């Protein structure tokens, strides 16, 4: 992958060329040449001004474009950190003391959602601006920009959603697993009470040691009960979170729907650069042909018009001739 | 030694060097093809290049001063002129100029003098001056490179610059070996050495491997491009013609609008990349698998009952859409191929072609050719190709019947042009023009091989033929390639066995040879082979090449006939 940088020699040559031109101009300062030169210069500069005036200012939607690009770059970072958080959350063995991270996640999700919708709005503004764009080039430019941005947005959206979905399913499966524990807990609890009653019924006169052990057991059952209470709380919390995520996804859905409909010709002939270039040229040629055609029609019409007028004049004259002669 | 990554690197550098902001890419005809082979439009969009323009367009659009303009052109005279005009009246804000090859100092000076408004920011040479079709295959897009069996000077120049840019882009300064029997190969080798010594500064690479540039001539192996092909890529090219990865299907009846022209690019189409080198039967299998997968997915999409299903649908929809595009594209292409095969009895034709190229059983083959010529369903061109193969094979055979076959062709009403082509091909690459014995090469090895073949039976009668290139390259890898037939240019000789091999075929290479090189690359670890040609031929374009190459030459064969 060799390459050669020719910028320096180029700039050197350019400076030389400009300098020699100036020197040349200064040396020939006789009135006439100066005048002639200046007049030609003037015409040049006028022309240049015209060129400059043409479309010097960037179009209005440049800001929107930059904004969207900024949003995109931020979205990328955010989604990355969200995925990281998800992974951390999922690999964490115990589920306690996670509130801070969860809150962080929630906030991130909300921010991402907002960023998506604002990015989408920006794209819409560019799209709207295309309609008012003057000149085909500018329209083409804006259309390409919209295409690029929506592709990028779509890609990020896909990633975001798959990350969210992955997290959701993982959480769900985990919940199922914990539910299993839950039912197991209850069964143990039931068993314990069973044994309790059985114990109470059959062995009323028991040694203290037995009582003690039973006491301990009951204690442990109570502990377990408290524990499961905690878990219920946790589960409720988790459900809330999941609900939130579902909500956010639902919010995003219509956006993605719109975006998905916008970009789908990747990999087809429409996505070829040379095809696009050819098409533009064909269009230009077509336009030229149409113009020519229109021109010829115009002329043909004039001729026809002439013929009709002359013919009617002849008819009129001959009519008059007949009228006056007879 | 990967051509595609090398060129992609160049393009990426171009888009990055100008910094952020909207950009327009200004190209000429050839660089447009070069870029399109590498990147799709949506990929380039992501690099903030939003507009594409041709520098040689008659009517150019109005200017947009807020855009940065990346100029990527070949350093030809016309292009320099266009660019000078452009710089005198710039349409865009700033210019970043990249030439695809070495540019003369005088031209830079011309440009510098035109740049009165100082709009040019960068001038570079990025050596992306060839069409990279796969990582190991490049073409220069010259369809008919010779005239009167000698170089057309324009094409010679283009070929030299193309090869130089290949060498520069993969950073190799090679030893050169060329085919001794070919005047064109020698000429090209000398020209390349001239440039190498002139631009020796650019060619100072730290190379730990020993690269070799082998220049061969199509005239030594005229058989390969005449055969019908049965691997996917080669077959599509033979029957439908691939042009810069684009396949025109508009002649197919009842085709939908979006399939009138399809893109077959291994870079952007995973299915194609995986099945490029499979043969036709296997393709049918994989297409079926693809269809099944698609149907499964389609079914999944049909039952959208819950919100979860809906979410899944939205998530997978773009992928699904892409898959459906791939499926419909390949099904259409393969369907068209198989209908052509059936319609023109290509299986029979191909069987005989393979026999003609690999076995010597004169009377039976003659009989079969006559049968096929008389079969009205066999295309004229196929019949002519059979006669050509026969003529090439049995040119010096005592009682050959070339004239009889030609009369048969004439009586079938085959146009004069085709009949003449049979003489042309003998002129182009008759037994006198070939240096290696194409039809019974390496007699001893062949006999043992034949014995083995007789024992195990032929694996696939449609793919018996291996191109001559295979043998040449194997010899080269083993270090056994004869110094008489392929001498070094100059007195320097390589002592080690070669590791990086660049083969260039004057007169165009074929996809069959590309497959050969692909297999050789896989078999030999530590050896990398790159194949290039003035173009990639199928039989149609090869016949054109022959016609062009032999135009303006008095054929002795014709005189014999009269």
């Amino acid at each position: 992958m060799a390459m050669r940088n020719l910028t320096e020699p180029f700039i050197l040559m350019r400076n030389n060329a400009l300098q020699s031109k100036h020197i040349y101009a200064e040396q020939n300062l006789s009135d006439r040449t100066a005048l002639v030169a200046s007049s030609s210069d003037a015409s040049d500069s006028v022309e240049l001004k015209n060129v400059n005036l043409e479309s010097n200012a960037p179009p209005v939607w440049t800001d929107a474009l930059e904004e969207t690009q900024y949003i995109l770059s931020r979205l990328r970072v955010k989604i990355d950190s969200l995925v990281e958080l998800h992974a951390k959350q999922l690999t964490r063995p115990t589920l306690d003391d996670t509130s801070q991270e969860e809150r962080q996640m929630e906030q991130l999700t909300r921010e991402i959602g907002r960023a998506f919708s604002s990015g989408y709005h920006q794209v819409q503004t560019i799209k709207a601006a295309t309609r008012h764009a003057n000149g085909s080039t500018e329209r083409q430019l804006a259309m390409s920009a919209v295409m690029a941005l929506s592709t990028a947005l779509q890609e990020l959206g896909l990633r975001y959603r798959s990350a969210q979905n992955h997290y959701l399913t993982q959480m769900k499966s985990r919940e199922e697993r914990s539910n299993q524990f839950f039912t197991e807990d209850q069964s143990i609890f039931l068993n314990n009470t069973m044994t309790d009653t059985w114990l109470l019924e059959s062995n009323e006169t028991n040694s203290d040691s037995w009582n003690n052990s039973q006491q301990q057991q009951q204690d442990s059952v109570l502990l377990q009960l408290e524990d499961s209470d905690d878990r219920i709380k946790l589960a409720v919390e988790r459900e809330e979170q999941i609900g939130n995520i579902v909500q956010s996804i639902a919010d995003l859905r219509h956006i993605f729907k719109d975006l998905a409909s916008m970009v789908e010709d990747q990999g087809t002939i429409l996505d070829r650069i040379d095809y696009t270039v050819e098409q533009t040229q064909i269009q230009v040629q077509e336009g030229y042909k149409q113009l020519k055609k229109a021109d010829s029609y115009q002329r043909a019409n004039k001729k026809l018009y002439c013929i009709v007028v002359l013919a009617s004049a002849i008819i009129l004259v001959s009519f008059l001739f007949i009228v006056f002669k007879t | 030694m990967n051509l595609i990554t090398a060129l992609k690197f160049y393009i990426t550098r171009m888009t990055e060097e100008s910094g952020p902001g909207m950009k327009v890419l200004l190209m000429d005809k050839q660089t447009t093809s070069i870029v399109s082979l590498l990147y799709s439009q949506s990929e380039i969009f992501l690099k903030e290049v939003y507009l594409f323009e041709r520098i040689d367009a008659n009517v150019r659009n109005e200017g947009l001063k807020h855009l940065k303009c990346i100029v990527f052109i070949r350093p030809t005279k016309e292009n320099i002129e266009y660019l000078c005009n452009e710089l005198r009246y710039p349409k865009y804000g700033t210019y970043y100029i990249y030439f695809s090859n070495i540019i003369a100092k005088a031209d830079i000076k011309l440009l510098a003098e035109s740049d009165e408004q100082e709009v040019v920011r960068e001038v570079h040479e990025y050596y992306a001056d060839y069409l990279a079709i796969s990582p190991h295959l490049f073409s220069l897009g010259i369809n008919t490179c010779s005239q009167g069996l000698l170089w057309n000077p324009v094409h010679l120049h283009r070929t030299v610059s193309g090869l130089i840019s290949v060498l520069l882009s993969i950073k190799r300064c090679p030893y050169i070996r060329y085919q001794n029997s070919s005047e064109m190969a020698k000429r090209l080798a000398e020209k390349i050495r001239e440039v190498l010594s002139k631009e020796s500064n650019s060619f100072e690479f730290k190379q730990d491997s020993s690269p070799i540039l082998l220049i061969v001539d199509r005239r030594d192996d005229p058989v390969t491009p005449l055969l019908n092909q049965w691997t996917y890529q080669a077959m599509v090219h033979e029957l439908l013609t691939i042009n810069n990865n684009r396949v025109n299907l508009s002649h197919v009846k009842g085709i939908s609008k979006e399939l009138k022209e399809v893109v077959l690019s291994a870079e952007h189409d995973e299915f194609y990349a995986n099945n490029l080198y499979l043969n036709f039967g296997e393709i049918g299998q994989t297409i079926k698998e693809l269809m099944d997968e698609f149907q499964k997915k389609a079914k999944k999409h049909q039952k959208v009952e819950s919100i979860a299903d809906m979410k899944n649908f939205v998530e997978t929809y773009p992928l699904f859409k892409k898959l459906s595009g791939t499926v419909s594209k390949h099904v259409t292409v393969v369907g068209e191929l198989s209908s052509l095969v059936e319609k023109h009895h290509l299986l029979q034709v191909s069987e005989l072609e393979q026999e003609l190229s690999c076995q010597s059983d004169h009377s039976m083959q003659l009989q079969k050719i006559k049968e096929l010529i008389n079969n009205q369903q066999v295309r004229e061109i196929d019949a002519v190709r059979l006669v050509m193969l026969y003529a090439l094979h049995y040119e010096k055979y005592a009682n050959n019947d070339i004239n009889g076959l030609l009369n048969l062709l004439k009586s079938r009403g085959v146009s004069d042009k085709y009949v003449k082509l049979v003489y042309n091909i003998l002129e182009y690459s008759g037994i006198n023009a070939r240096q290696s014995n194409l039809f019974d090469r390496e007699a001893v090895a062949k006999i043992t091989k034949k014995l083995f073949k007789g024992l195990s039976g032929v694996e696939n009668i449609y793919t018996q033929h291996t191109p001559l290139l295979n043998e040449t390259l194997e010899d080269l890898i083993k270090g056994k390639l004869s110094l008489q037939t392929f001498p070094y240019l100059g007195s320097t000789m390589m002592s080690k066995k070669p590791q990086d091999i660049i083969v260039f075929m004057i007169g165009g290479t074929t996809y069959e040879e590309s497959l050969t090189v692909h297999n050789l690359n896989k078999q030999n670890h530590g050896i990398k082979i790159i194949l290039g040609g003035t173009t990639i031929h199928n039989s149609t374009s090869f016949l054109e090449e022959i016609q062009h190459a032999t135009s303006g030459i008095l054929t002795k064969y014709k005189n014999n006939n009269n």
Side-chain angles (χ1 to χ4, degrees):
Chain A
M1 283 156 276
M3 49 186 73
R4 187 153 64 171
N5 192 343
L6 297 172
T7 316
E8 263 177 50
F10 179 85
I11 287 176
L12 207 76
M13 283 182 197
R14 183 169 70 187
N15 290 343
N16 279 348
L18 286 178
Q19 238 167 31
S20 63
K21 198 179 255 174
H22 284 306
I23 291 166
Y24 187 69
E26 275 161 28
Q27 276 172 347
N28 292 323
L29 260 183
S30 84
D31 288 351
R32 185 171 223 146
T33 47
L35 276 173
V36 171
S38 73
S39 69
S40 74
D41 265 356
S43 71
D44 262 1
S45 65
V46 166
E47 211 169 56
L48 286 177
K49 257 180 209 159
N50 278 342
V51 172
N52 282 343
L53 275 176
E54 227 171 70
S55 50
N56 213 346
V60 205
W61 47 266
T62 323
D63 294 337
L65 180 75
E66 270 161 22
E67 181 74 32
T68 325
Q69 266 156 357
Y70 177 60
I71 288 170
L72 279 174
S73 64
R74 261 197 338 190
L75 260 178
R76 241 164 248 145
V77 176
K78 270 185 191 153
I79 289 176
D80 279 344
S81 59
L82 185 70
V83 169
E84 215 171 274
L85 271 177
H86 278 169
K88 228 194 250 168
Q89 189 81 344
L90 286 173
T91 48
R92 194 187 289 278
T94 58
L95 293 163
D96 311 328
D97 299 333
T98 51
S99 56
Q100 200 208 334
E101 257 126 17
E102 267 167 21
R103 236 178 286 133
Q104 210 179 332
M105 246 162 54
E106 214 170 284
Q107 201 189 343
L108 257 179
T109 328
R110 235 178 290 134
E111 272 174 21
I112 289 172
R114 227 179 291 137
F116 265 120
S117 58
S118 67
Y120 179 65
H121 276 300
Q122 298 288 2
V123 172
Q124 284 299 321
T125 39
I126 300 177
K127 221 177 176 185
T130 5
R131 276 175 223 126
H132 308 299
N134 40 353
S136 60
T137 325
E138 205 168 314
R139 205 170 306 132
Q140 179 91 39
L141 187 74
M143 259 151 64
S144 308
V146 168
M147 270 281 286
L149 292 179
S150 39
T151 320
L153 265 178
Q154 193 177 342
E155 229 161 69
L156 279 179
L158 252 176
R159 220 175 108 214
Y160 169 63
R161 261 175 312 151
S162 62
Q164 283 289 60
N165 268 4
H166 177 72
Y167 179 64
L168 264 179
T169 48
Q170 289 283 326
M171 283 308 269
K172 256 189 196 157
S173 67
R174 176 174 273 192
E175 197 150 309
E176 265 163 30
R177 249 178 289 147
S178 74
N179 268 349
Q180 265 177 11
F181 272 119
F182 228 52
T183 46
E184 260 174 45
D185 278 354
Q186 276 175 336
S187 66
I188 289 166
F189 175 68
L190 281 176
N191 276 345
N192 279 343
T193 50
M194 285 278 276
T195 48
D196 279 354
T197 48
W198 176 73
L199 276 172
L200 281 171
E201 266 173 18
S202 58
N203 303 26
E204 280 197 22
T205 52
N206 246 329
S207 63
D208 279 348
S209 63
W210 260 106
N211 259 328
N212 273 344
S213 70
Q214 216 189 326
Q215 195 63 45
Q216 272 175 352
Q217 250 184 340
Q218 276 187 335
D219 275 353
S220 72
V221 168
L222 272 174
L223 268 174
Q224 271 180 337
L225 265 176
E226 268 177 18
D227 212 345
S228 61
D229 253 355
D230 266 355
R231 284 184 187 206
I232 288 171
K233 249 188 222 164
L234 264 176
V236 168
E237 246 174 60
R238 186 125 315 113
E239 198 133 64
E240 261 177 22
Q241 287 162 16
I242 291 170
N244 277 339
I245 294 172
V246 169
Q247 184 59 40
S248 65
I249 287 182
D251 283 343
L252 286 173
R253 207 189 58 221
H254 68 279
I255 296 171
F256 296 127
K257 233 179 179 172
D258 282 7
L259 287 176
S261 65
M262 272 155 72
V263 188
E264 53 192 34
D265 46 35
Q266 276 177 47
T268 65
I269 190 76
L270 298 177
D271 206 19
R272 285 277 294 207
I273 295 165
D274 48 2
Y275 181 79
T276 318
V277 173
E278 277 165 29
Q279 286 304 309
T280 342
Q281 282 190 321
I282 288 171
Q283 273 169 16
V284 168
Q285 272 167 11
E286 278 298 306
Y288 182 65
K289 257 187 223 160
Q290 298 275 350
L291 261 179
K292 252 192 164 170
K293 223 186 206 171
D295 186 51
S296 68
Y297 275 138
Q298 196 83 2
R299 279 173 204 208
N301 273 354
K302 257 181 203 162
K303 272 178 201 158
L304 201 72
Y305 187 60
C306 223
I307 290 166
V308 167
V309 166
L310 284 177
S312 56
I314 288 167
I315 290 167
L316 191 75
V317 168
S318 56
F319 180 70
L320 287 178
F321 189 73
I322 291 162
V323 166
F324 281 107
K325 270 293 175 187
T326 51
Chain B
M1 288 285 280
N2 183 332
L3 299 175
I4 288 192
T5 42
L7 292 199
K8 274 193 168 175
F9 172 79
Y10 282 140
I11 309 283
T12 315
R13 272 292 289 266
M14 273 180 216
T15 53
E16 278 166 3
E17 213 159 42
S18 46
M22 286 187 280
K23 288 156 217 159
V24 53
L25 190 55
L26 192 62
M27 300 170 284
D28 63 26
K29 185 159 183 274
Q30 291 193 42
T31 50
T32 311
S33 305
I34 292 167
V35 175
S36 326
L37 274 175
L38 299 168
Y39 281 111
S40 73
Q41 190 169 297
S42 46
E43 281 169 323
I44 282 273
F45 279 169
L46 293 182
K47 299 179 191 302
E48 289 186 273
V49 176
Y50 293 143
L51 272 184
F52 310 101
E53 288 250 356
R54 280 274 290 276
I55 199 164
D56 49 354
N58 303 333
V59 190
R60 296 272 311 283
N61 285 319
E62 73 271 32
L64 294 168
K65 285 279 173 185
H66 55 89
L67 287 182
K68 291 173 179 171
C69 180
I70 301 171
V71 186
F72 175 46
I73 51 173
R74 302 198 60 239
T76 61
K77 219 173 207 167
E78 303 89 66
N79 281 341
I80 299 286
E81 212 166 286
Y82 283 128
L83 189 56
C84 282
N85 278 337
E86 174 80 29
L87 290 180
R88 235 168 255 138
Y89 307 106
K91 293 195 175 67
Y92 304 104
T94 49
Y95 285 78
Y96 299 81
I97 300 173
Y98 301 93
F99 289 106
S100 69
N101 220 315
I102 296 165
I103 182 173
K105 275 266 149 61
D107 287 334
I108 300 180
K109 199 169 173 219
L110 261 179
L111 285 175
E113 278 160 7
S114 311
D115 183 21
E116 285 157 2
Q117 299 183 39
E118 307 196 8
V119 285
V120 177
R121 287 289 146 81
E122 301 272 348
V123 183
H124 289 268
E125 280 172 6
Y126 280 11
Y127 306 103
D129 204 11
Y130 53 92
L131 301 162
I133 291 162
S134 13
H136 67 269
L137 178 66
F138 69 91
S139 146
L140 299 176
I142 306 166
N143 270 333
T144 47
C145 65
S146 61
Q147 228 164 14
L149 297 179
L150 286 173
W151 276 107
N152 176 332
V154 180
H155 294 324
L156 176 63
H157 182 72
R158 175 71 185 96
T159 309
V160 170
S161 55
L163 265 174
I164 288 292
S165 94
V166 169
L167 296 177
L168 281 168
S169 69
I170 57 174
K171 287 193 166 181
R172 296 288 188 283
C173 179
Y175 295 92
I176 302 172
R177 293 182 78 166
Y178 62 96
Q179 188 176 310
N180 205 9
S181 63
S182 163
E183 191 56 38
M184 285 168 83
K186 192 172 181 200
R187 189 76 195 286
L188 179 63
E190 273 163 3
K191 278 270 179 189
I192 284 177
R193 188 174 60 172
E194 215 172 89
V195 179
L196 285 185
S197 56
K198 203 171 114 194
E199 303 285 339
S200 54
N201 282 341
S202 308
F203 279 95
E204 276 171 3
F205 309 123
K206 275 186 242 150
Q207 35 190 10
D208 36 3
S209 60
S210 42
I212 193 155
L213 172 66
L214 181 69
I215 299 174
V216 291
D217 196 330
R218 178 85 269 166
R219 288 174 69 192
D220 213 30
D221 176 17
V223 171
T224 311
L226 285 177
L227 299 175
N228 267 305
Q229 300 296 327
W230 296 100
T231 55
Y232 194 33
Q233 188 181 33
M235 199 174 173
V236 172
H237 188 49
E238 175 63 38
L239 296 174
L240 300 170
T241 310
I242 302 173
N243 182 15
N244 289 342
N245 285 351
R246 287 162 63 174
V247 178
N248 193 345
L249 291 174
S250 53
H251 58 276
V252 179
K253 260 180 214 155
I255 200 157
S256 64
K257 203 181 156 206
E258 61 262 35
L259 286 174
K260 277 218 165 114
E261 193 167 14
V262 296
V263 179
L264 290 181
S265 154
E267 287 293 297
H268 304 109
D269 183 344
E270 207 186 331
F271 179 82
Y272 184 63
N274 291 335
N275 297 298
L276 210 55
Y277 300 119
L278 294 188
N279 70 37
F280 194 48
E282 289 165 320
I283 287 292
Q285 205 92 38
T286 45
I287 283 267
K288 206 185 152 275
E289 272 163 35
L290 188 72
M291 280 293 274
D292 285 345
E293 191 193 334
F294 176 68
Q295 260 163 1
K296 226 191 279 163
K297 282 216 172 127
K299 228 174 241 165
K300 227 190 243 166
H301 281 214
Q302 268 167 9
K303 49 163 195 196
V304 181
E305 284 163 352
S306 62
I307 293 180
D309 285 346
M310 221 144 94
K311 263 193 299 191
N312 271 333
F313 176 77
V314 174
E315 188 177 331
T316 50
Y317 182 71
L319 284 176
F320 174 74
K321 186 87 190 167
K322 207 174 169 192
L323 183 67
S324 91
T326 321
V327 168
S328 58
K329 178 168 76 183
H330 287 287
V331 167
T332 316
V333 170
V334 172
E336 181 58 22
L337 289 181
S338 68
S339 83
L340 281 174
V341 167
E342 203 155 314
K343 205 163 127 202
H344 304 305
H345 293 280
L346 288 182
L347 283 170
Q348 270 166 281
V349 173
S350 171
E351 192 184 334
L352 186 54
E353 279 173 1
Q354 298 284 338
E355 273 174 27
L356 276 169
S357 63
C358 299
Q359 291 159 26
S360 303
D361 187 352
H362 178 255
S363 56
M364 206 183 62
Q365 288 172 358
L366 187 63
Q367 179 96 28
K368 278 191 183 166
I369 294 175
K370 281 181 181 164
E371 251 169 55
L372 280 177
I373 291 178
N374 286 327
N375 185 344
Q376 286 301 320
Q377 249 142 354
V378 172
R379 277 183 301 181
E380 281 183 7
I381 184 81
D382 288 329
V384 173
R385 270 156 64 190
L386 284 173
V387 176
M388 281 176 177
L389 284 170
Y390 175 85
L392 286 169
H393 194 161
Y394 296 111
E395 190 189 349
K396 287 281 184 285
Y397 188 73
N399 40 356
N400 67 20
D401 195 17
I402 298 178
N403 286 335
L405 286 175
L406 286 175
N407 286 336
L408 208 60
L409 281 179
K410 274 180 202 154
S411 67
R412 198 193 146 167
V414 172
S415 69
D416 232 23
K417 182 184 134 201
Y418 284 148
V419 177
K420 229 165 127 194
L421 267 175
V422 178
Y423 293 117
N424 288 345
I425 199 168
L426 286 177
E427 185 61 43
Y428 180 73
S429 152
I431 212 147
N432 302 327
R434 298 197 298 263
Q435 75 174 11
S436 37
N437 201 344
L438 195 54
F439 289 101
D440 37 11
R441 38 187 134 119
E442 281 185 81
V444 183
K446 194 89 177 183
I447 287 166
T448 50
K449 237 188 231 167
K450 234 182 209 168
L451 262 178
F452 274 116
K453 258 188 191 167
L455 286 176
S456 58
V458 184
E459 245 173 63
N460 185 343
I461 49 167
Y462 303 114
T463 52
Q464 299 172 55
H465 173 257
T466 50
L468 179 65
L469 189 69
N470 190 29
E471 212 172 287
T472 316
L473 284 175
E474 270 177 356
D475 283 350
L476 182 65
I477 291 167
K478 287 179 202 148
K480 287 201 303 194
L481 194 65
S482 145
L483 282 176
Q484 249 109 54
T485 43
F486 290 97
Y488 283 95
L489 190 69
S491 54
T492 50
M493 280 218 282
M494 208 164 61
S495 47
K496 294 180 287 181
K497 281 186 183 176
Q499 283 179 311
D500 299 332
I501 302 172
I502 302 142
V503 195
F504 186 78
M505 192 165 278
I506 299 165
T509 181
T510 62
Y511 282 117
E512 192 186 343
E513 279 147 349
S514 153
L515 172 61
T516 306
V517 167
H518 175 78
N519 287 337
L520 282 173
N521 274 335
K522 255 202 302 197
Q523 282 160 18
N524 302 298
H525 285 286
I527 290 178
K528 287 183 202 121
I529 309 171
I530 286 175
L531 174 69
T534 42
T535 183
I536 313 264
H537 273 312
N538 59 12
S539 57
T540 328
S541 64
F542 181 55
L543 292 184
E544 259 167 49
E545 170 106 37
I546 288 174
Q547 206 183 6
H548 232 264
T550 50
S551 64
I553 278 196
L554 286 174
T555 65
K556 48 179 185 246
Y557 294 93
K558 194 93 202 247
N559 297 341
N560 284 349
N561 188 34
N562 295 337

